[in-house]
Amino acid sequence: MTNEKGFTLIEMLIVLMIISVLLIITIPNLSDNSKTVKDKGCEALIKMAEAQAQSYYLDKNEMPATIATLQTEGYLESDTCPDGSKLTIDANGEVTANAPST
């Protein structure tokens, strides 16, 4: 008989079981953190929009009237947060996110 090298069926089943257990542990953690990721993404978009409003002010010597103004002038690409909230801007350049309408 020759010595055949390879994995037995039992060894493969054990490896598959270990991988399955790891997936069962990690997938719920990823879905639980999706809200946190969306919140952080919205906070970052708000800060970027405020910075772009200041840049607009430096260029045009006036604050933008709306977020759409920043978009049409090329200062901002999106006015929507990852969670669906729409951005609004006030006369002082402070940006806020309004909850999505359902």
Side-chain angles (χ1 to χ4, degrees):
M1 253 190 177
T2 61
N3 186 7
E4 293 183 31
K5 296 182 179 181
F7 294 107
T8 64
L9 181 61
I10 299 289
E11 291 170 333
M12 292 299 291
L13 288 174
I14 291 171
V15 169
L16 287 174
M17 183 186 70
I18 291 171
I19 291 172
S20 298
V21 168
L22 290 173
L23 287 174
I24 288 170
I25 291 170
T26 57
I27 288 176
N29 288 337
L30 293 175
S31 63
D32 289 344
N33 291 331
S34 66
K35 181 173 177 5
T36 304
V37 168
K38 287 181 180 179
D39 289 343
K40 295 291 182 186
C42 194
E43 289 174 18
L45 184 61
I46 289 171
K47 288 186 186 297
M48 183 177 71
E50 287 177 345
Q52 293 300 78
Q54 292 298 321
S55 178
Y56 181 91
Y57 178 77
L58 291 173
D59 290 344
K60 311 281 185 185
N61 205 23
E62 64 181 6
M63 286 306 254
T66 63
I67 292 292
T69 304
L70 289 175
Q71 285 184 288
T72 56
E73 294 288 328
Y75 287 88
L76 196 61
E77 288 184 17
S78 175
D79 67 343
T80 307
C81 286
D83 64 356
S85 302
K86 289 285 196 183
L87 298 181
T88 57
I89 190 168
D90 65 9
N92 298 325
E94 186 175 328
V95 177
T96 56
N98 297 326
S101 57
T102 54

